[in-house]
Each structure stands twice: as structure tokens, then as C-alpha cells.
Amino acid sequence: NMHSAYTLINKCGDNRPTHLISGSITNDEGYSVNGARLDLESLQSGVMTATGGTQQSFVFADLPAGGTFTIAPTHALFTFSPTSITVSPLTANTNISFGSSIRKFRISGTVSDYCCSGQVPAGNVPMKLIGPFFALSGERDLSSPQVEIRVRTNANGQYIFDGVLPISFDQI
């Protein structure tokens, strides 16, 4: 049984109880988040890493009883809540869970006009970001692969496309 404690016999021949820490990562709607990296850190075991599978469940097994363990997920496209969980002391098999939200990106820059007097900020210039992005609300417009986000530069020629979501969970 994967979730029962078991005994590991170490090289010195004494029996030391071990436990496991298992869990899952879900998004705002309760669906599993795939491909997150999970780092488990402890003074006893150093750093161990697991990558969540298609159901984003994970298991760190053979952990010494009584230890202190901190688990932290990372993923290029997601933020997590909480950012880490510490189990101390580990006295039994423990199940933990993390929530996640898709990371939103900012695209910004400055538009300048070059004329006889040099570089001049181009204010009030219409800017358009076109692509098969997720809409700002997190919904994907499946009827049209092209989504437009429009902004104008400020008086200093600066623009910001805020809250841009990536095209997919696999790439930015």
C-alpha cells in the first residue's frame, strides 16, 4: 500500500520508520496542473526533485520520521498558493495540496521617432498585439485564432500590454 508507513533497514542494521509526503496541484477550477517541478528540501535528505505527471500528483517516499521537510512547486507558466509547505515533524504519511494560477505576462517598450533633431518620443501612437493568445480573462476564443489587444503610447512613447496570457501551457 503506497500510503502506509513502512520500515527501512539502513546499512547499520537498525530499523528506522519512514513516511511519505504525497499531494497534488490544481488550478483555480480544480483541474490538475501538469508538469510542475517539486523540490523537497530537508537537513536530513538535502534536496530531492519530482516532476508531476499528467494528473499532477507527486510522492516523496522513504522520508525519515521526525524530519522537517519543505516542498515548493515551480513552473514557468504558473504561480502557486501557498508557495511552499513545511511538514515538521513528519510523524505519519502526509498529503498536501497546492493551488495554482496561470502566470500573466507584461509586454512593454518605447516607440521613438527619428527626425532631424534626433530621437523623439512618439506619443499617442496606437499599438496592437495580435496573436492566438488566451484572452485577458483567461478564456480562449476558439472561434477566432487571432486575438487583438490594443493600447496607445503615453506622452513619453511608452506602452504596456498587461495581463497577457501565453498561447498554451507548453510555451510562452
Side-chain angles (χ1 to χ4, degrees), residues 95-117:
N95 190 283
I96 61 175
S97 61
F98 292 93
S100 68
S101 297
I102 192 164
R103 190 180 303 266
K104 295 179 182 173
F105 295 88
R106 171 180 278 188
I107 299 172
S108 62
T110 303
V111 177
S112 298
D113 188 10
Y114 290 93
C115 63
C116 55
S117 62

Side-chain angles (χ1 to χ4, degrees), residues 3 12 14 54 58 66 72-74 76 78 80 83-84 93 108 127 147 166:
H3 293 281
C12 298
D14 60 344
T54 57
F58 58 90
T74 58
F78 294 93
F80 299 96
T83 56
S84 67
N93 290 339
S108 62
M127 303 286 294
V147 175

Side-chain angles (χ1 to χ4, degrees), residues 2-23:
M2 184 174 86
H3 293 281
S4 62
Y6 50 92
T7 302
L8 180 68
I9 299 175
N10 68 18
K11 292 179 182 178
C12 298
D14 60 344
N15 293 335
R16 294 193 182 183
T18 62
H19 302 290
L20 60 85
I21 298 175
S22 61

